[in-house]
Amino acid sequence: MIRLHHVPQARSFRILWLLEELGESFEVVPHSFFDKSLRSADYLALSPAGRVPALEIDGRVLFESGAIAEYLCETRGRLGRMPGEVERAEWLEWIHFAETAGQHLANLTQHHIALREPWMRSPTVMRLEAKRLEKVLAVPDRVLTGHDWLLPSGFSAADVAMGYSALVGRRFVRLDSLPALAAWLERIAARPAFRRALARDGVAEIYRQEFYEAPDE
Ligand SMILES: N[C@@H](CCC(=O)N[C@@H](CS)C(=O)NCC(=O)O)C(=O)O
């Protein structure tokens, strides 16, 4: 049985959603950022930096969401674009560009949520990171103008990887100037596999607000 180590709303949601899109049967092993379970010796044996996702599959453990997405698409035969296929390079680019957004999401989450005392936070960093994230999200917005999905041939794991980044990204960046991205997120929300994944996500403990405004100077 495939086992996904997951924290609700975290980047492991990409893999939860992808497994649902692939129609795989799997178990979700829930964790929390707040109970130190990611720092236990048992968990560090699975994921040495104590991060999610970690995926137990085919007799081994994999961490790093981009690598897991590639592995799942290669071994489960769908939603990837394989070597030799026309869209292979673009597919790889999106799978990993999702983590260019991910670094800004991590910084913004740390500043708005994890750092509880106002004096710990830098308003300059919060504004800068939101602007930088907006520039990243403008890239799929341009590509999606006039298209339903990131690749011309249709939905793929690229939409899952980047889609998660945009779903969290809209908590820090208003989508008024990114209409194609906003419409894509609506198409994503209507997908049965996405809804099934949301139902298995668990109780939200990271993002409790719809939007986190960057503070003024
Ligand atoms: N690039 C990695 C990032 C993994 C990562 O940092 N995950 C966060 C959750 S979004 C985590 O586990 N944080 C726990 C911690 O930093 O202690 C991936 O995409 O898998």
Side-chain angles (χ1 to χ4, degrees), residues 177-199:
S177 61
L178 305 171
L181 189 93
W184 173 62
L185 291 183
E186 281 175 27
R187 283 191 289 282
I188 283 174
R191 293 184 71 81
F194 178 79
R195 288 166 183 246
R196 287 197 301 276
L198 265 192

Side-chain angles (χ1 to χ4, degrees), residues 162-184:
M162 201 65 215
Y164 167 80
S165 296
L167 283 162
V168 179
R170 73 177 169 189
R171 294 181 188 271
F172 301 106
V173 170
R174 299 214 186 267
L175 299 191
D176 312 346
S177 61
L178 305 171
L181 189 93
W184 173 62

Side-chain angles (χ1 to χ4, degrees), residues 17-26 78-79 193 196:
W17 172 18
L18 182 57
L19 286 164
E20 287 289 350
E21 292 282 356
L22 289 168
E24 291 293 319
S25 150
F26 63 102
R78 286 189 300 116
L79 299 183
R196 287 197 301 276

Side-chain angles (χ1 to χ4, degrees), residues 7 9-12 14-15 33 38-39 43 47 49-54 63-68 99 106 164 206-207:
V7 169
Q9 302 179 312
R11 277 174 269 194
S12 45
R14 285 190 185 124
I15 306 307
F33 286 152
L38 298 182
R39 297 291 176 270
Y43 190 70
S47 178
R51 305 295 176 98
V52 289
F63 56 89
E64 196 63 41
S65 59
I68 296 172
E99 277 300 275
Y164 167 80
I206 308 174
Y207 307 106

Side-chain angles (χ1 to χ4, degrees), residues 19 29 74 92 102 118 143 153 156 188 196 199 213:
L19 286 164
V29 185
E74 281 170 23
L92 283 172
V143 168
S153 65
S156 74
I188 283 174
R196 287 197 301 276
E213 196 79 60

Side-chain angles (χ1 to χ4, degrees), residues 4 12 24 30 45 50 63 69 86 91 97 99 109 113 115 135 146 151 156 166-167 169 175 182 187 210 215 217:
L4 172 65
S12 45
E24 291 293 319
F63 56 89
V86 183
W91 183 80
F97 190 57
E99 277 300 275
T109 301
I113 297 157
L115 300 177
K135 287 203 163 63
L151 298 177
S156 74
L167 283 162
L175 299 191
R187 283 191 289 282
E210 287 293 309
E217 288 283 357

Side-chain angles (χ1 to χ4, degrees), residues 74 81-85 88:
E74 281 170 23
R81 300 296 184 269
M82 296 298 111
E85 288 189 46
R88 169 70 173 177

